[in-house]
Amino acid sequence: MSTPERERSARRERQAGRVMLRGEQVPETTTDERLLSGGNGADWLHADPWRVLRIQSEFVEGFGALAELGSAVSVFGSARLTEGEPEYEVAQEIARELVRHGYAVITGGGPGLMEAANRGAREAGGQSVGLGIELPFEQGMNAHVDRGVNFRYFFVRKVMFVKYATGFIVLPGGFGTMDELFEAITLVQTGKVRRFPIVLVGREFWGGLLEWIRTTLAARGLIGEMDLDLLHVVDDPVEAVAYVRRVAADLAE
């Protein structure tokens, strides 16, 4: 489906937090877009304080939904790599392996590799969690999510991914996946969070990026040599989970 077709389809139905909108009730802009808009004159003085209450309610709802989740790992990957792609089976196997070792699986709740991870977790009898987001083209929560929370604001959702995760496992993906990856690296690098494992799955896919980080960022002193150790690259799903477990165990000592 082309982008214009997706946008037209999205206007027929959208999930905005707990509210479902259809037809003409679907706004042309997202909640994030309206929040980040400068507005005209001093209008924002009257609107933004009320937005703070909505933001607060999203934090409270997210915390309440996930507080008793237990040990979990956030799994990221493309919404565009669907069943039949090799990465789909890898995501399923990673989720199954996580469940075998007592972890819940957290994804963005959408299609593609997120669906695969939720599916693997559910089929293995584990907790399958989806953190959805309001988008101009509605993805919807995939059918394999057992515990799902829909967010209006990206930054609230990002907090949930980090707060309740023992580690991150990152499969091939686009801008959204890269966003989550580099945010996690930055939080660890700057000491904003305790170091936790960040695993990249697929040496062929990530090789070019890692080479650029080494030969450009590190070579010019834009990051430290030790920062290169923040990323661990594997091909094997079992190895990915084993690394998460090993680092988590070291940090617990």
Side-chain angles (χ1 to χ4, degrees):
M1 184 182 291
S2 68
T3 299
E5 288 172 336
R6 292 168 80 185
E7 291 175 350
R8 283 196 295 273
S9 174
R11 293 193 182 101
R12 291 197 293 272
E13 181 173 321
R14 182 184 300 174
Q15 190 77 26
R18 295 175 66 89
V19 179
M20 191 274 291
L21 302 170
R22 283 182 175 154
E24 294 181 356
Q25 296 297 311
V26 179
E28 295 293 324
T29 58
T30 66
T31 308
D32 270 322
E33 184 178 351
R34 294 191 293 276
L35 171 67
L36 297 173
S37 173
N40 296 318
D43 289 349
W44 65 271
L45 286 172
H46 307 289
D48 281 0
W50 289 103
R51 287 195 178 104
V52 171
L53 296 178
R54 177 179 285 174
I55 292 166
Q56 177 181 311
S57 73
E58 289 212 345
F59 275 114
V60 170
E61 186 171 9
F63 292 158
L66 302 175
E68 298 179 356
L69 186 60
S71 296
V73 172
S74 291
V75 180
F76 301 99
S78 174
R80 303 186 185 196
L81 296 176
T82 56
E83 190 168 9
E85 300 280 359
E87 292 88 351
Y88 191 96
E89 173 57 35
V90 170
Q92 283 184 283
E93 181 54 36
I94 286 171
R96 289 192 288 261
E97 186 70 10
L98 286 169
V99 169
R100 289 188 193 107
H101 293 286
Y103 292 102
V105 174
I106 303 173
T107 79
L113 301 188
M114 293 175 281
E115 172 192 288
N118 287 129
R119 180 177 174 181
R122 190 180 197 186
E123 290 175 348
Q127 295 191 73
S128 174
V129 180
L131 305 181
I133 187 68
E134 174 193 8
L135 295 171
F137 45 93
E138 183 64 34
Q139 289 185 322
M141 199 73 74
N142 72 65
H144 303 284
V145 170
D146 294 321
R147 185 183 307 196
V149 185
N150 277 301
F151 295 94
R152 290 183 174 92
Y153 298 102
F154 261 113
F155 58 89
V156 179
R157 181 184 186 232
K158 286 172 179 290
V159 170
M160 304 301 158
F161 277 130
V162 176
K163 180 175 175 61
Y164 294 101
T166 301
F168 280 10
I169 295 180
V170 189
L171 291 108
F175 287 151
T177 302
M178 298 295 174
D179 175 51
E180 299 293 352
L181 168 62
F182 280 101
E183 183 167 46
I185 298 170
T186 303
L187 288 172
V188 177
Q189 181 204 45
T190 56
K192 285 293 185 181
V193 299
R194 220 176 142 197
R195 181 174 177 182
F196 61 97
I198 304 171
V199 185
L200 304 180
V201 181
R203 284 188 172 88
E204 182 177 356
F205 180 85
W206 296 107
L209 174 64
L210 295 174
E211 179 66 14
W212 176 78
I213 290 174
R214 242 184 335 263
T215 60
T216 302
L217 299 186
R220 295 193 59 186
L222 301 178
I223 62 171
E225 286 294 328
M226 293 182 63
D227 293 334
L228 296 172
D229 297 331
L230 297 179
L231 297 171
H232 185 74
V233 191
V234 302
D235 284 318
D236 180 57
V238 173
E239 186 182 350
V241 177
Y243 179 77
V244 169
R245 295 180 64 219
R246 185 164 65 250
V247 175
D250 290 343
L251 291 174
E253 291 180 354

